Amino acid sequence: MFKLRTQPEVISAVDFVESILTNNYQLKYPQAKQLVKMLLLHGPIVEAVKQELNLGWEFVKDNINNLNSVCKDPNMAKLVARIINAKDFTFDNFSFLFGQASQNKSEDFIVGLLRYNGNLKLDMKNAYNDTLLHVAAENGLADVCRVLV
């Protein structure tokens, strides 16, 4: 339990994380940031949240703007990267994300995902033999390029 706007409220870890990711709850309250830190310390809880929410490509595509906003906080970026099921992301999925990051001038979600999600396949190439590093560089994503190197 933690206080939201001075009212004690009990919410589950799943509900809390889902509300942050879908922008139903702003991560501006100190209690929320503390809860994120506590969740990161408990791997089994994070894994249970990941299994319950089962967030994959469709969720990322539909919520990319909010994910970029949320991932400005380093601890939230770690949490998001750990609960997104990105092991099946394709080259085209990453190309789309790189294009969105370039247009929105925000690389926070992609950098967090690359840095903190250990299940990504990053050695893929497209039909023209371009790597993810090539596509990131073409889109002017310097921070993503640094993480990929």
Side-chain angles (χ1 to χ4, degrees), residues 60-140:
V60 169
K61 185 176 69 170
D62 294 341
N63 292 282
I64 188 63
N65 291 333
N66 191 54
L67 291 171
N68 275 321
S69 175
V70 166
C71 288
K72 290 184 186 318
D73 179 85
N75 285 325
M76 196 61 209
K78 289 177 189 175
L79 182 62
V80 168
R82 289 177 59 188
I83 63 170
I84 295 291
N85 186 5
K87 68 180 181 198
D88 296 327
F89 278 23
T90 66
F91 192 94
D92 289 339
N93 296 151
F94 280 108
S95 293
F96 173 82
L97 290 175
F98 292 169
Q100 290 293 309
S102 179
Q103 287 177 356
N104 298 334
K105 306 288 188 245
S106 179
E107 303 172 58
D108 297 309
F109 169 68
I110 298 169
V111 168
L113 188 66
L114 294 172
R115 200 174 270 156
Y116 303 117
N117 187 309
N119 295 322
L120 298 174
K121 181 183 173 198
L122 300 175
D123 60 348
M124 56 183 96
K125 295 181 180 185
N126 66 7
Y128 303 105
N129 219 23
D130 292 332
T131 65
L132 292 176
L133 182 58
H134 290 120
V135 177
E138 287 172 358
N139 282 284

Side-chain angles (χ1 to χ4, degrees), residues 24-42:
N24 293 328
Y25 180 80
Q26 299 296 318
L27 189 67
K28 60 185 174 187
Y29 302 105
Q31 298 90 336
K33 291 185 180 196
Q34 294 212 341
L35 183 56
V36 169
K37 286 180 185 177
M38 289 188 316
L39 281 171
L40 287 170
L41 294 173
H42 300 288

